[in-house]
Amino acid sequence: MNGFVKVAAAAPVTEVANCTENIRRIEALMRIVDQQGVQIIVFPELCITGYTCMDLFMQQMLLEKAEDALLQLVEKTKELNPLCAVGMPLAAENKLFNTAVVFRKGRILGIVPKTFIPNYKEFQEMRWFSSGNKLQSDTIRIGNDMYPFGTDLLFSAKRFDCVHPSDTNPPPCDVAKNGGHPENNLTNEIVIGIELCEDLWSPVPPSSRQAMQGANIILNLSASNEIIGKNSYLRSLIAQQSARCMTGYVYAAAGFGESGTDMVFTGKGFIAENGSILSESERFNMDDKLVINDINIDYLQHDRLVNTGFTTPSQYEQAAKTRRISFDVAPYKGKFDRHIDPHPFVPSKGDMLKERCEEIFNIQTFGLIKRIGHIHTKSAVVGISGGLDSTLALMVSVRAFDMLNIPRKNILGVTMPGFGTTGRTYKNAVSLIEQLGVSFREISIKDACTQHFKDIGHDGETPDTTYENTQARERTQILMDLANMTNGLVIGTGDLSELALGWATFNGDHMSMYGVNAGIPKTLVRYLVEWSANNLSDKKTQKTLLDIANTPVSPELIPANADDTISQKTEDLVGPYELHDFFLYHFMRYGAPPEKILFLTKQAFGKKYEIPEIRKWLHTFLRRFFSQQFKRNCLPDGPKVGSICLSPRGDWRMPSDASSHLWLQDTP
């Protein structure tokens, strides 16, 4: 569904060496996840026998019972939909292997042996198991049949939402060697790689090779006991590997019930995607563990397309043999388990928000410091409206001048009242300039604009585009001329959201000598102003900043209401900025099509916005984004802050005349 695959990590309570009880619990969890629409599930390492059997692994009875139990499990679950990976010991070539057995719908698809066998004090697996790295055979017998066996196996399926209705049943176990595949189009595939526990901890995990060969979901069958600090390290290791490989990563570790002779196991489960932990299980309880979430295959594929590490031929592609085993994935069903952040540009609350705001503010500041030093100026000019954007630009300028030991008086804060300026914004603009100790200048633009209206034959009353843009351009002219007079730098105030929508007057507020806010979306600007209020300001300035943060966003180019309140609210005209920032993030960061953006928006905002309203504003976003590229193609310099930037010199290169037809057609 919309490029998502529903996965699960399960850790049943284990009874060591009791294969019958262990498969009963595995089956029960498989039935639970089948009801919830899970398409892929992974269980822990050696879960059929238990991980801590030690020398019992050399008992023929245990190995035979484990094999019988596996075949019973496969048969009993043949009506269930999930692809399943379970761990068990298997003997072949006069050796014992720690393996992952992958099966679905009553059919074993393949077996992957562990590559890196630990020999630590507590994990002396070399006493029992051999590495699967140097096998003589590529098949193994289980029961009466032979199955694909090796570390070179990948399991691939067409995504159900990409499969033509008449082609929903590809061969369940079609092995293609040397990377070949009937339809080798990764955009339409789920490709699963398998590694076991210690494999992840090795310098070059098998999942790295598997990712380069096409795997976009990695399943890890693990044991991993509990010791102080290990869980946080493991958590970061999983997140990092999923980021490095640009994969989904599903990890299941041995559950409660494993032998407590010298170790404690709690059944850890993690689901990660491209550096983010989506879900993790609770530790330290005595129940079966189960975590479920949705992995976004489309977004993983997008990142691989734009990452040169995946577009450049690698040693893995040139050397390693790969066998792909085809299977048919179940249709997506059940509730959507993934949390979609409605404000993807805004960090989580608490310490993370404070830390991230400081980092962003410093990036802006250091960008400005570099430009000031390069042009050898000690003066700056900032137009202050009493709104969010100009406030942030002024705070960044003050911080830069303080760090350079240049007097704040060398910053000229200019307020330019016009036809729509309200008392609230005017008062806040003047107060902020005075409280920060920068130089103050007030220049009304009313007379100059009135004269201009006469010169061009405008009635000066009709609040049309000319009426608004005249004011914006007059303000920019004043700032530029003042900068010339002071040998200074005009600091731009426009933000990323305005650039995306083209919500700026061409050669008016669109232009500056350095745009410090160019990489900051509107939803984040407010948080940065609030952070400045709480961390960089005295009590008086804090009060002013917080009032500015609570002022409705407006260009104030239309006369105010009779009660001196803002009549022209930007979000009434172009739509809520939180929606536009959400659209921008998914459109730019992942190349998401409108249909998917619509789905994600509904998931993120719930009942706050209905589908017709979301569709309306998404249509507005797409129409404006395409039609206003000509403004972005001549943007002044400004620092890149996050993963999304609209600079025509770097992150976003788009022809000004590109058609939006295909995208608008996808949002009927």
Side-chain angles (χ1 to χ4, degrees):
M1 178 179 67
N2 281 293
F4 288 95
V5 177
K6 191 175 289 295
V7 300
V13 172
T14 302
E15 189 167 323
V16 179
N18 188 342
C19 301
T20 303
E21 173 62 14
N22 291 336
I23 66 162
R24 184 189 70 79
R25 287 184 173 272
I26 292 170
E27 179 189 350
L29 286 172
M30 287 184 67
R31 294 190 179 281
I32 290 172
V33 300
D34 183 60
Q35 291 298 313
Q36 297 182 40
V38 168
Q39 295 161 293
I40 300 166
I41 184 170
V42 59
F43 286 88
E45 182 178 21
L46 296 167
C47 58
I48 287 181
T49 58
Y51 177 78
T52 53
C53 289
M54 294 189 281
D55 284 353
L56 292 177
F57 284 127
M58 295 302 173
Q59 292 288 315
Q60 187 66 27
M61 168 138 344
L62 182 64
L63 298 180
E64 290 176 356
K65 293 299 182 184
E67 191 171 311
D68 291 343
L70 170 69
L71 294 173
Q72 290 178 41
L73 177 65
V74 172
E75 176 65 23
K76 287 181 177 180
T77 59
K78 64 183 180 181
E79 82 280 10
L80 304 183
N81 283 314
L83 178 84
C84 180
V86 296
M88 66 176 293
L90 279 172
E93 302 178 3
N94 300 311
K95 303 169 189 171
L96 189 63
F97 296 95
N98 180 346
T99 74
V101 180
V102 181
F103 64 93
R104 181 177 185 267
K105 287 285 188 181
R107 186 184 181 102
I108 295 173
L109 302 176
I111 297 92
V112 179
K114 190 171 185 174
T115 299
F116 294 95
I117 310 299
N119 196 31
Y120 308 140
K121 294 177 181 178
E122 67 269 41
F123 294 116
Q124 294 183 338
E125 285 187 35
M126 284 186 178
R127 181 180 175 96
W128 310 291
F129 297 107
S130 297
S131 171
N133 219 13
K134 295 182 180 180
L135 296 172
Q136 296 176 0
S137 174
D138 60 4
T139 59
I140 191 171
R141 180 179 296 279
I142 299 177
N144 297 320
D145 297 308
M146 302 296 291
Y147 298 99
F149 180 46
T151 59
D152 59 339
L153 298 183
L154 294 178
F155 302 86
S156 63
K158 288 183 180 179
R159 286 210 323 256
F160 189 84
D161 56 350
C162 293
V163 175
H164 189 275
S166 64
D167 185 25
T168 56
N169 292 300
C173 189
D174 176 24
V175 180
K177 295 187 178 182
N178 298 321
H181 194 261
E183 294 185 39
N184 194 13
N185 180 353
L186 296 185
T187 303
N188 293 339
E189 285 185 317
I190 300 166
V191 184
I192 298 170
I194 306 282
E195 61 186 7
L196 291 91
C197 198
E198 184 69 15
D199 291 346
L200 172 63
W201 300 73
S202 65
V204 183
S207 53
S208 296
R209 167 180 55 80
Q210 293 163 359
M212 293 302 295
Q213 294 170 332
N216 47 30
I217 294 178
I218 303 296
L219 307 182
N220 187 314
L221 297 79
S222 185
S224 194
N225 66 318
E226 296 290 347
I227 57 174
I228 296 172
K230 185 177 182 180
N231 191 67
S232 61
Y233 184 84
L234 174 62
R235 192 180 194 274
S236 66
L237 194 64
I238 291 170
Q240 288 175 22
Q241 186 65 1
S242 72
R244 186 177 295 111
C245 295
M246 296 182 186
T247 61
Y249 201 101
V250 191
Y251 177 99
F256 179 79
E258 289 284 359
S259 176
T261 304
D262 292 306
M263 293 182 286
V264 171
F265 296 85
T266 61
K268 293 185 284 285
F270 293 96
I271 299 174
E273 178 189 290
N274 202 7
S276 298
I277 299 293
L278 304 181
S279 299
E280 59 184 293
S281 63
E282 178 188 352
R283 296 188 295 156
F284 300 113
N285 68 42
M286 296 176 287
D287 303 323
D288 294 336
K289 306 291 178 59
L290 184 63
V291 288
I292 300 173
N293 217 307
D294 301 279
I295 289 175
N296 196 332
I297 298 293
D298 283 348
Y299 282 9
L300 294 171
Q301 178 63 19
H302 171 272
D303 279 6
R304 290 182 174 193
L305 287 174
V306 300
N307 185 285
T308 56
F310 281 86
T311 58
T312 303
S314 72
Q315 59 179 340
Y316 299 126
E317 293 171 301
Q318 295 167 1
K321 180 185 72 170
T322 302
R323 288 180 290 164
R324 290 205 180 176
I325 301 177
S326 298
F327 70 97
D328 55 325
V329 69
Y332 187 104
K333 65 178 183 178
K335 74 181 184 70
F336 188 70
D337 289 292
R338 177 90 171 249
H339 169 70
I340 304 298
D341 189 350
H343 303 117
F345 288 109
V346 179
S348 303
K349 300 292 191 295
D351 291 341
M352 176 58 75
L353 177 60
K354 181 178 178 181
E355 178 184 331
R356 190 63 59 84
C357 284
E358 182 174 10
E359 183 178 23
I360 293 167
F361 199 83
N362 282 332
I363 292 172
Q364 291 178 275
T365 301
F366 274 77
L368 180 56
I369 286 173
K370 170 60 181 176
R371 179 52 54 91
I372 289 171
H374 181 71
I375 64 174
H376 304 293
T377 186
K378 293 189 176 181
S379 174
V381 179
V382 190
I384 308 301
S385 67
L388 284 167
D389 293 339
S390 64
T391 296
L392 178 58
L394 180 59
M395 296 300 293
V396 169
S397 301
V398 166
R399 180 76 170 269
F401 273 58
D402 286 350
M403 295 183 74
L404 289 168
N405 294 316
I406 302 174
R408 290 188 181 185
K409 285 295 183 181
N410 285 28
I411 301 173
L412 179 59
V414 187
T415 181
M416 296 167 282
F419 303 115
T421 302
T422 61
R424 179 180 183 181
T425 55
Y426 173 77
K427 178 184 175 183
N428 281 337
V430 174
S431 297
L432 186 64
I433 292 170
E434 292 176 344
Q435 289 161 1
L436 291 174
V438 305
S439 296
F440 171 74
R441 186 82 177 266
E442 179 177 333
I443 302 174
S444 172
I445 64 169
K446 293 180 181 178
D447 291 343
C449 290
T450 299
Q451 180 61 49
H452 185 65
F453 291 146
K454 292 179 181 178
D455 293 341
I456 65 173
H458 190 279
D459 62 17
E461 298 291 335
T462 305
D464 57 10
T465 303
T466 303
Y467 182 88
E468 295 185 30
N469 286 350
T470 292
Q471 298 173 70
R473 292 194 179 101
E474 178 60 29
R475 285 175 170 140
T476 299
Q477 176 178 264
I478 290 171
L479 296 175
M480 292 288 182
D481 292 343
L482 287 172
N484 292 157
M485 291 173 64
T486 59
N487 191 32
L489 188 72
V490 175
I491 308 301
T493 61
D495 63 50
L496 182 67
S497 305
E498 292 177 345
L499 295 177
L501 294 168
W503 191 251
T505 298
F506 189 81
N507 208 32
D509 53 320
H510 155 259
M511 192 50 59
S512 68
M513 297 175 182
Y514 193 74
V516 293
N517 294 341
I520 313 293
K522 187 74 77 176
T523 48
L524 184 55
V525 172
R526 190 181 305 277
Y527 282 93
L528 288 167
V529 170
E530 291 176 350
W531 175 82
S532 299
N534 296 323
N535 295 277
L536 302 177
S537 309
D538 56 32
K539 292 295 182 183
K540 276 190 175 181
T541 309
Q542 181 187 51
K543 183 178 179 181
T544 302
L545 289 171
L546 292 177
D547 190 60
I548 290 171
N550 291 317
T551 302
V553 177
S554 172
E556 292 194 327
L557 298 173
I558 300 297
N561 296 320
D563 61 354
D564 195 35
T565 57
I566 293 171
S567 63
Q568 185 187 29
K569 295 180 180 179
T570 300
E571 292 182 294
D572 291 343
L573 302 173
V574 296
Y577 270 117
E578 65 177 356
L579 283 183
H580 286 305
D581 283 357
F582 187 88
F583 301 155
L584 176 65
Y585 178 82
H586 290 277
F587 179 82
M588 287 283 296
R589 175 65 182 83
Y590 297 109
E595 182 183 8
K596 183 160 188 170
I597 294 174
L598 190 68
F599 168 79
L600 293 172
T601 308
K602 186 59 181 174
Q603 298 300 321
F605 289 96
K607 296 181 179 180
K608 186 172 183 178
Y609 302 102
E610 296 298 326
I611 289 292
E613 185 178 10
I614 297 171
R615 185 179 285 112
K616 169 189 172 182
W617 294 126
L618 178 55
H619 191 279
T620 297
F621 169 81
L622 292 168
R623 177 178 55 80
R624 292 192 65 94
F625 186 88
F626 276 82
S627 68
Q628 301 295 296
Q629 177 64 24
F630 73 97
K631 295 179 182 177
R632 296 189 292 269
N633 273 340
C634 52
L635 281 179
D637 295 344
K640 177 179 178 177
V641 172
S643 60
I644 294 174
C645 175
L646 288 169
S647 168
R649 295 166 294 277
D651 288 51
W652 187 247
R653 305 178 192 189
M654 171 183 168
S656 297
D657 305 314
S659 172
S660 60
H661 175 74
L662 292 179
W663 286 264
L664 293 176
Q665 195 177 42
D666 202 39
T667 53

